[in-house]
Amino acid sequence: MTGKPKRKHAHLRLRSTAAASTTLLLALSTTGCAAGEERCGPAPATRFRAAHFYGTWSFPKGYIELSNLGGKLGQTFTTRGWPKDTTLDQTTDKVPLDQGLSGKGNWRLSDDHTTLGITFDRLDDTLERTTIHTLNIGEDQGRPVLYTRVGDPKTCHVFALKRSGD
């Protein structure tokens, strides 16, 4: 004996290990997320900060203006045509502007920069429970997009806001 390990079939072991690794990699990349669901809406983003959201954002039947007045007022908004609930009837352009909510309040970016929350100054209890209060933050072509899923949760319908001028 020379003390050297046998290498008679080493190349075959290497090939089968590489094939198994490739199969595992392909299986992981084609299944998507753990739940097996496809993404619904823009690509999620966490890189945007509060200053990225100042300005007027439009949606199918209205707008919301996000500003930072500072002091006790902080980050404020004014909106016209905001959906009264998350049904498709309220979040599409088929609803007249005057059938949406008009109001003002405060907004806040979540600590992890994934959502933007809005709180109306005055809203009756029914609308407080049904209107949209949280928007997800996404990205489209390098620009921020605010959105939320609406309608039947089994289908992908997105209420998206885009900054005016983008």
Side-chain angles (χ1 to χ4, degrees):
M1 277 199 148
T2 61
K4 292 182 181 177
K6 294 182 181 180
R7 296 183 178 231
K8 188 175 181 181
H9 298 289
H11 70 283
L12 294 176
R13 273 183 266 147
L14 181 61
R15 236 184 236 168
S16 64
T17 303
S21 297
T22 303
T23 303
L24 178 61
L25 180 60
L26 286 173
L28 290 173
S29 64
T30 58
T31 57
C33 62
E37 293 181 17
E38 291 184 30
R39 182 179 74 225
C40 181
T46 60
R47 70 184 189 93
F48 299 110
R49 302 302 180 248
H52 289 103
F53 300 102
Y54 302 147
T56 302
W57 294 74
S58 59
F59 47 92
K61 64 172 195 153
Y63 70 89
I64 186 168
E65 184 176 348
L66 303 175
S67 60
N68 184 9
L69 297 178
K72 290 182 181 180
L73 293 177
Q75 296 167 318
T76 61
F77 74 87
T78 303
T79 187
R80 181 146 187 236
W82 193 255
K84 292 181 180 178
D85 57 44
T86 60
T87 63
L88 290 180
D89 291 341
Q90 277 289 309
T91 55
T92 63
D93 58 358
K94 297 175 186 169
V95 178
L97 183 64
D98 62 353
Q99 289 186 13
L101 294 173
S102 293
K104 58 184 180 172
N106 292 85
W107 64 276
R108 182 181 181 283
L109 187 62
S110 64
D111 292 337
D112 63 0
H113 305 270
T114 59
T115 60
L116 186 142
I118 65 169
T119 306
F120 282 87
D121 285 344
R122 293 183 186 96
L123 209 56
D124 70 39
D125 290 342
T126 302
L127 291 174
E128 186 67 44
R129 285 190 305 273
T130 61
T131 193
I132 298 169
H133 290 285
T134 304
L135 297 165
N136 297 311
I137 297 171
E139 185 172 354
D140 184 29
Q141 298 179 350
R143 295 183 175 103
V145 178
L146 298 171
Y147 72 98
T148 191
R149 289 182 71 168
V150 294
D152 183 356
K154 294 177 185 173
T155 59
C156 180
H157 295 287
V158 176
F159 173 71
L161 292 78
K162 298 222 178 191
R163 188 185 0 247
S164 299
D166 276 354

